[in-house]
Amino acid sequence: ITGDRFGNIWTGGRSAIEHEGSVVRFNHMDTIFTSWSNFEGFIQSEWVYDAGIDINDDLWVATADGLSKYDGSTWITYNTSNTPLPSDNIRSVTFDKQNNVWITFQEINFTIGGIAKFDGTSWAIYTPGNSTLPNYECFDILIDSQNNKWIHSKFSVTKFDGLNFTDYNSQNSGITGSEIFDIALDSLNRLCAMVHSPLYSELCIFDGTTWTYMNPNNTPAMSNYSLYEVYIKGSKIIMSGGAST
């Protein structure tokens, strides 16, 4: 789910029975839902993973069959047929300060994966095969106010400053769980990583120097829950999951 500056809400959905996926816009002024689906040919896949809106108010949609862009009148899809991208399976999309588009991509067998930047004309592609990016398995990419890119993989979070990749995992950093379920960035550029330690769910928070933690010992509201997702809303940290057994 994402929102634009006009107050519209954008989301994606899928009907497994019909093999139909769509992007839906909800206009809060007239409460009208408008849908663009793969069935109608607007997007190329029933699988919609992520969406974002750039500073030009263009919508970008990450799907299993490419990266689709909607400028308010026309849809165009970027995939392996018309770009150097090695995969059509686009998992996430975001934008840097220069309005470059950044994506993660990966194949299901994890032998192809990485990140890419699109400046509107040319592509820069980073994989473990052509750079020091440590993982093919790239789920999400976030960008902080310093234009650093933070890449979420299953077992680590990797920071990319434009030149160097720095990997943070349970073996070389303060991340306390081997598997990382979700990441977020707060207004202070702190990384928040949701993990499961041997005893409970824990949020590992990194300010660039020091790691701090939220867990049932200091945040009783986290008790008896298995938490998998983290969101930042202003000064609030929102965690979601289910009851643990």
Side-chain angles (χ1 to χ4, degrees), residues 224-244:
N224 303 317
Y225 289 97
S226 293
L227 301 168
Y228 294 96
E229 297 178 318
V230 56
Y231 307 90
I232 306 296
K233 185 70 172 179
S235 61
K236 300 182 185 300
I237 298 175
I238 304 167
M239 293 172 274
S240 66
S244 59

Side-chain angles (χ1 to χ4, degrees), residues 145-165:
S145 64
Q146 304 301 313
N147 239 16
N148 296 307
K149 289 76 187 174
W150 296 86
I151 304 145
H152 172 206
S153 301
K154 186 173 183 179
F155 300 114
S156 71
V157 181
T158 306
K159 176 185 174 182
F160 180 48
D161 63 8
L163 295 174
N164 302 302
F165 291 93

Side-chain angles (χ1 to χ4, degrees), residues 126-148:
Y126 304 87
T127 72
N130 68 7
S131 73
T132 55
L133 176 70
N135 302 296
Y136 286 105
E137 197 172 18
C138 298
F139 299 143
D140 197 6
I141 183 169
L142 306 177
I143 301 178
D144 65 26
S145 64
Q146 304 301 313
N147 239 16
N148 296 307

Side-chain angles (χ1 to χ4, degrees), residues 9 28 37-38 41 49-50 56 58 73 87-88 110 129 145 152 168 191 198 201 212 214 219 245:
I9 297 173
H28 75 290
S37 72
N38 69 311
Y49 295 120
D50 195 17
N56 297 319
D58 294 333
S73 60
S87 171
D88 290 331
F110 306 127
S145 64
H152 172 206
Y168 300 91
L191 171 71
S201 298
T212 56
M214 294 177 64
T219 310
T245 56

Side-chain angles (χ1 to χ4, degrees), residues 6-178:
F6 305 105
N8 298 309
I9 297 173
W10 297 80
T11 187
R14 174 178 176 262
S15 170
I17 296 175
E18 302 295 335
H19 298 288
E20 182 175 343
S22 64
V23 176
V24 178
R25 180 185 66 198
F26 174 65
N27 186 320
H28 75 290
M29 298 295 291
D30 53 20
T31 65
I32 291 177
F33 289 86
T34 306
S35 175
W36 294 266
S37 72
N38 69 311
F39 183 77
E40 300 165 299
F42 293 109
I43 58 176
Q44 301 303 304
S45 174
E46 65 186 274
W47 295 94
V48 176
Y49 295 120
D50 195 17
I53 296 171
D54 67 18
I55 61 173
N56 297 319
D57 300 316
D58 294 333
L59 174 73
W60 298 78
V61 184
T63 81
D65 285 304
L67 177 69
S68 295
K69 174 188 175 184
Y70 178 59
D71 64 5
S73 60
T74 303
W75 285 88
I76 182 173
T77 294
Y78 300 93
N79 53 35
T80 53
S81 70
N82 58 8
T83 76
L85 288 170
S87 171
D88 290 331
N89 197 35
I90 313 302
R91 298 306 302 265
S92 65
V93 57
T94 192
F95 315 95
D96 65 20
K97 287 186 172 183
Q98 289 74 43
N99 204 37
N100 296 310
V101 182
W102 288 83
I103 62 170
T104 61
F105 60 89
Q106 67 171 50
E107 291 298 314
I108 295 175
N109 59 12
F110 306 127
T111 59
I112 298 175
I115 67 172
K117 180 184 79 169
F118 180 50
D119 65 7
T121 303
S122 60
W123 292 84
I125 298 168
Y126 304 87
T127 72
N130 68 7
S131 73
T132 55
L133 176 70
N135 302 296
Y136 286 105
E137 197 172 18
C138 298
F139 299 143
D140 197 6
I141 183 169
L142 306 177
I143 301 178
D144 65 26
S145 64
Q146 304 301 313
N147 239 16
N148 296 307
K149 289 76 187 174
W150 296 86
I151 304 145
H152 172 206
S153 301
K154 186 173 183 179
F155 300 114
S156 71
V157 181
T158 306
K159 176 185 174 182
F160 180 48
D161 63 8
L163 295 174
N164 302 302
F165 291 93
T166 305
D167 200 49
Y168 300 91
N169 55 58
S170 61
Q171 303 299 311
N172 67 2
S173 74
I175 293 176
T176 55
S178 60

